Amino acid sequence: MNYLEALERFKKYVEDIKNISYAVNVMHWDGSTDAPKSSFPVRGESLGFFSTLEYEMFVTKQMDEDLNTLLENIDKLDDKESVMVHKARKEYDKLVKIPSDEIKEYQILTNRAQHSWEEARKKDDFSIFSPDLKEIIKTLRRFADYRGIKNHPYNIYLDDYEEGMTREKLDIFFDTLRKRIVPLLKGIMDSKKNIRDEFLSRDYPLDSQREAATELLEFMHFDLDRGLLKESTHPFTMGLNIDDVRLTSRYDKNNMISGMLSVAHEGGHALYEQNISRDLINTTLATGTSLGIHESQSRIYENNIFKSREFINFYFPKLQKRYPEQLKDVSEEEFYEAINNVKPSFIRVDADELTYSLHIMVRYEIEVALIEGSIEVDELPEYWNKKMEEYLGIVPPNNRLGVLQDVHWSHGLFGYFPTYALGSAYAAQFANKMEKDIKLKETLLKSDFKTPLEWLNKNVHQFGSLLTPDEISLKSTNELLNPNYFCEYLENKYSKIYNL
Amino acid sequence: MNYLEALERFKKYVEDIKNISYAVNVMHWDGSTDAPKSSFPVRGESLGFFSTLEYEMFVTKQMDEDLNTLLENIDKLDDKESVMVHKARKEYDKLVKIPSDEIKEYQILTNRAQHSWEEARKKDDFSIFSPDLKEIIKTLRRFADYRGIKNHPYNIYLDDYEEGMTREKLDIFFDTLRKRIVPLLKGIMDSKKNIRDEFLSRDYPLDSQREAATELLEFMHFDLDRGLLKESTHPFTMGLNIDDVRLTSRYDKNNMISGMLSVAHEGGHALYEQNISRDLINTTLATGTSLGIHESQSRIYENNIFKSREFINFYFPKLQKRYPEQLKDVSEEEFYEAINNVKPSFIRVDADELTYSLHIMVRYEIEVALIEGSIEVDELPEYWNKKMEEYLGIVPPNNRLGVLQDVHWSHGLFGYFPTYALGSAYAAQFANKMEKDIKLKETLLKSDFKTPLEWLNKNVHQFGSLLTPDEISLKSTNELLNPNYFCEYLENKYSKIYNL
């Protein structure tokens, strides 16, 4: 067959999918922001229709043949086409290898599991959720078999979220964290340093927080003409396309810093989506390359930039001007220490910068053990608590504050959690290289936020999904992911704060 | 062929179209409210994709056969199915009779015409727009031929917006208006009555106007759990489905009443969409039956209710409480007169209740004359000014304030304008019957807004598109559209206000 015909059909397909995705994303956006609650059922039906339509457009004999034809002629394609075809072949194989009735059964199972998880959490009774979780793990193992995985079944799920990631690499990664961050936390806990942060929970009017949020996005050079900021229960970012990138935050009258950190975090995601090269428009590559790399962009703005001594030097006077009453008895240094206060806690999403990755380590070890069968689901609550004590030094008083806190497993999301920790590590590695390339700290001190953004644009953002995480890492930092940068960053930062 | 098979396929199609329409509507809603301007091109491509998809799903040999099979078995279908099949057959025939390349050319023409109209209006130069307008009229005449119209070509376009409406009926309608409203306006203009309304343009804070808008919707018994109110440049209403009805308004600090009237107007549309019978869910009939009937629901709330002496008796004290400074020197009677002040003006959308329909009459006469060829496009500006003087007693000083003010014709929307006047007339006819059935004025005086809504639910809303405008009119008022109710209503109202 003439590969040009196949290429034309493939490009037409990519174009159609872009048009459907736009609609689907707008529906999701609308559903998470304004839409009345009662709109849920009809939106669900519509989303179901499009999901089926996308499947039917993709999983066809013609597509299978076209992809093979294109792979046979891969040297005649340009870079973008070639990457798209490889990704599509991989996705196609993933979709056809699992029998469709098993996929349907699995959807029913995960739907049910979300309810049983909710119920279990509400009643603090793990046994309500455990039968479904067992079934999910069994199914994921079987699916890994279908997909022809010879080595550890967990690797296939890691790769779904982070191309090229394996358990072997992650073991080394978390080993490093375990050896360096756990002792660091112990040191902090043993230190005599007393950090005051009661002023963070004073009354901060919401309207003013909303204004401050927009102002912060402006400091970050987020282009508000090509995007927008709204509110939602759970902050998120959505890149509909590079000219339409949307993010949300939420504001709490008695927790001003939480809303600002959400904006910095989501703003980092949003900057990534907004600065993908225009060359990638109308391809499937105009989005972040992996969850880990995406998370690195949010973490670098939330932690390495916003929570840095240098940024606070610039930002605190502005906050003090906005909230003269609330911050009148607070020094810049006290503010910096308050937002970096380390306090081991049970709930991951409320964790500070240091303990956050330990939460992820707990989940990682559990996921591996569950998938390979070295622990049973019924042992999970006990195992969880043991790990929490080992790494964070605290034991949840109940399962609601422990193993039942996260929704991910009820969705079947195994292999997803590690990307949260990868993001922090990549962020530290990028920040380290930025310090060498552009003197990151000095730029922040000079209120120059454009130069760091340009570095990220040049080294990360522009490539979208054209490069793999490994390629991005190599190109921008001359090495693969190396968790030592993250550990070193935390050690330096917290040794200073806690006089270790 | 077995008609049950055909019916099943047809219902599946209706379901699919509902799912696509939901997405398309959400995209339109998003585009008119929050979406950044730069999102326009991608949304346009996506909307284009769905428009083609809908066409391809509908205009097929299979659909043609199925519709014929169903028509042959129409007695075996229930009411809803039967009406849907008849409507689909009509729509199908309309779409296939015009050659598709001519439809494409026409789209290019109307796209160009919108630009030439804008340019013409900006430069106040009708000759920039006239070549495209000539072409549009020529095309509409040719399309009417394709569609096999034997009598006046205008009738086919009237019927597109108002099923069953004809030029013959409209001539009688507008004759009545001409004979009764034009003299009424002359009488008002000659009266010595001086109405003060300067207080309407005092400073009314926007936040308070927004609160008042929500409050007004609550008075109207709009269910805010199944819908929402936002802001947009041009107020509009969108019934995505009966559990998700959205409307917008706009607020002007120095024109408080304008925002309130927008809410009352769009609220009327929204109540219609929200109160369609649940029986019609998942059919194509769960929407208003025609533009005229839809407009009657907005007009009845905007004019017959909101601007009534009785409603103001209830509402003015609330406004005075909300705006004690701005309304301290204003009496209830003065407020009532101010919002009903008659002032002939050039721009239709700013017109008062009485002169509004005269604006529509000008456009109606022009549309008929253009379509039948009794005037030429080049004579249009002069003809327009002549009609304005004849009916409203004023002559636009330029074409920007005259023939170039409306966007409709550049879109090819001929036959659309009359529905604005039909809406007012239907509203008056319904209000007249409500007075007899439920003592409308007394219910308003008693702040009972539920009883009028129930009358509208029972007689209009619930039927969606299951009944034609004529059927609704007959069922609810025992007669067909009769413009005398509208004229009588205006005569009574304004005779009192102006002591005629």
Side-chain angles (χ1 to χ4, degrees), chain A residues 280-291:
Chain A
L280 298 178
I281 282 183
N282 294 333
T283 72
T284 50
L285 309 175
T287 184
T289 189
S290 73
L291 291 183

Side-chain angles (χ1 to χ4, degrees), chain A residues 55 57 80 82 102 138 184 188 229 240 248 273 290 301 329 333 340 371 393 397 399:
Chain A
Y55 186 90
M57 282 169 63
K80 290 180 283 184
S82 164
E102 291 209 42
K138 244 170 72 185
L184 176 61
I188 290 172
L229 169 67
L240 288 101
T248 69
E273 292 290 322
S290 73
Y301 274 97
D329 58 342
E333 183 66 19
N340 282 294
I371 289 273
N399 289 328

Side-chain angles (χ1 to χ4, degrees), chain B residues 26 29 53 68 123 142 147 155 187 200 236 239 250 257 288 329 366 391 491 495 498:
Chain B
V26 172
W29 169 260
L53 181 65
N68 286 341
K123 299 194 174 150
R142 199 168 58 247
R147 290 170 68 184
N155 280 343
L200 292 177
F236 68 98
R250 61 177 162 195
I257 203 65
D329 59 341
I366 288 172
Y391 301 148
E491 285 160 357
S495 300
Y498 286 94

